[in-house]
Amino acid sequence: MSREIPSQQLFSSNHRAARLHIDLDALQHNFARVQALAGERRIMPVIKANAYGHGVKQVAAALHGADGFAVAQLDEAIALREQGIRQPITLFHGFANAQQLQACAEYRLRPAISQLWQVELLASNALSQAIQPWLKVDTGMGRLGLPVAEVSEQWRRLNQLPQVQSVGLMMHFANADQPEDALNRQQIERFVTLASQLDAETSVSNSAALLSELYPCEDWLRPGIMLYGASPFLDQSAQSLGLRAVMSFQAQLIAINQLPAGASVGYGADWCCPQAMSVGIVNVGYGDGYPRMAPSGTPVIINGQLSQLVGRVSMDSLAVDLRGIDAQCGDAVELWGQQLSVDEVASRVGTISYELLCNAGRGLRA
Ligand SMILES: *Cc1c(COP(=O)(O)O)cnc(C)c1O
């Protein structure tokens, strides 16, 4: 099963040929990989940010066997309910006011509570039905979560409220992508101390933590990036982890120029042909979510052959080196995907696959 998203749907303003191909077979393959690692643990695929740019609707539908889902914000969760998704949905950002809290009850959402004022808000509002929030613990991430010292008291307090059915405990690693980092041990110790005192459901692991088994005894896993077929680790490829790329970002060669030695290519004129050569122009640029900071030398695949960027990325085009490449106008260009890992492009750009995937999929509404 796989679907082409026509360019009209992808980029609403015009009929560009740049497009995303989302391979739902690869998504299901990666999910099966998570299931194999999960054992008894339940799985809530993380599908925030439009499923990391892959189109949340089709991703949620394809992962119908998941035990739950996780998103960041309320509107994302409501859209899933309206689509007919019935599993528990966790909200990483919880609720911001009483109205959002009521929506959590109405839509049977599991908000994460990370501030004392959210505890107060819940304590002072009757709800149409009891909810199962998560209490988020800041064990060292320094982002969202109650300080460790306050957790037991607030967990007990929440548990006694009639509007609360049960309270889970959740934490997030800062350095799971570096499994040997000492902070991981500290975070685990702090969390285990709490979890051993409170009879709570637990959720700890993102993709990196699952793949390196940092915390094997939780109830709910929260994998994101690995489902999309990218690696959370700098030193291990997605392929070596048994994952398959879900997104391929494709465009076409629209011009081939024969340039003399010394001719410059693109804005800034700071890339010059070292010899007489042919340079291709591809109909994709930063306006389509390709990273403008991709330097000359960043790989691209042209008609199955490895090529590279030359000169700066424009808004709607970029230039490629066609030396030694058999190419014609109209040939397919893969910016990343099955033939070229998004992780490799991300590392050339100095970012992570997450950012490239989200940006490329920003216009995707499938
Ligand atoms: C985004 C996120 C995840 C998923 O992380 P991956 O590295 O993509 O697996 C899990 N938990 C929380 C709290 C997150 O914000």
Side-chain angles (χ1 to χ4, degrees), residues 11-318:
F11 304 106
S12 54
S13 58
N14 52 23
H15 293 247
R16 310 170 62 88
R19 68 189 196 282
L20 298 184
H21 176 88
I22 304 298
D23 183 345
L24 297 176
D25 282 341
L27 178 71
Q28 281 160 346
H29 167 89
N30 299 335
F31 183 64
R33 182 91 181 90
V34 172
Q35 285 177 310
L37 293 169
E40 298 288 287
R41 292 170 289 182
R42 278 170 284 169
I43 304 166
M44 55 167 124
V46 179
I47 54 174
K48 62 194 178 188
N50 197 23
Y52 293 40
H54 291 69
V56 66
K57 209 169 173 181
Q58 61 177 342
V59 166
L63 297 180
H64 50 80
D67 304 295
F69 290 101
V71 292
Q73 312 196 66
L74 182 63
D75 55 343
E76 301 177 87
I78 292 177
L80 288 168
R81 284 283 179 259
E82 285 171 351
Q83 180 190 334
I85 298 295
R86 293 173 171 279
Q87 290 98 323
I89 302 176
T90 290
L91 284 183
F92 290 150
H93 292 185
F95 45 85
N97 52 44
Q99 204 187 352
Q100 292 196 352
L101 173 59
Q102 295 293 349
C104 288
E106 186 185 333
Y107 289 99
R108 293 177 300 102
L109 309 177
R110 303 194 65 181
I113 293 177
S114 57
Q115 295 270 294
L116 269 181
W117 60 261
Q118 291 174 309
V119 177
E120 306 293 348
L121 198 67
L122 179 47
S124 58
N125 277 275
L127 296 177
S128 56
Q129 52 186 321
I131 62 171
Q132 295 183 288
W134 296 98
L135 198 54
K136 200 151 182 195
V137 190
D138 180 10
T139 56
M141 174 69 182
R143 192 172 67 176
L144 291 172
L146 287 187
V148 171
E150 294 173 20
V151 169
S152 293
E153 186 190 338
Q154 299 308 324
W155 185 88
R156 293 199 170 89
R157 186 172 162 212
L158 285 170
N159 249 299
Q160 283 162 6
L161 298 172
Q163 57 274 50
V164 170
Q165 196 182 324
S166 68
V167 187
L169 273 187
M170 177 184 285
M171 68 153 252
H172 194 52
F173 286 111
N175 289 343
D177 57 333
Q178 293 150 315
E180 306 305 323
D181 193 285
L183 182 56
N184 294 324
R185 300 283 137 230
Q186 288 173 15
Q187 288 195 259
I188 290 168
E189 270 169 41
R190 292 171 187 147
F191 191 80
V192 166
T193 305
L194 285 171
S196 64
Q197 293 162 10
L198 308 173
D199 180 22
E201 263 191 313
T202 53
S203 178
V204 171
S205 296
N206 61 0
S207 300
L210 169 61
L211 286 162
S212 44
E213 286 296 4
L214 283 181
Y215 193 87
C217 49
E218 72 211 281
D219 297 302
W220 285 89
L221 299 165
R222 306 190 307 271
I225 195 70
M226 68 180 293
L227 290 170
Y228 307 104
S231 171
F233 306 113
L234 279 178
D235 57 352
Q236 288 178 69
S237 70
Q239 195 182 10
S240 75
L241 297 168
L243 304 171
R244 282 167 51 189
V246 176
M247 175 190 291
S248 40
F249 191 13
Q250 299 166 346
Q252 280 158 5
L253 207 55
I254 56 166
I256 297 176
N257 302 322
Q258 307 299 334
L259 298 179
S264 68
V265 174
Y267 286 119
D270 50 7
W271 195 89
C272 295
C273 298
Q275 63 189 99
M277 60 183 280
S278 59
V279 169
I281 306 298
V282 180
N283 59 351
V284 67
Y286 62 82
D288 306 301
Y290 189 86
R292 182 175 172 277
M293 296 313 287
S296 296
T298 302
V300 298
I301 304 288
I302 297 175
N303 204 5
Q305 305 156 91
L306 182 63
S307 174
Q308 55 181 11
L309 257 57
V310 293
R312 293 189 198 164
V313 174
S314 295
M315 188 183 294
D316 48 28
S317 68
L318 52 79

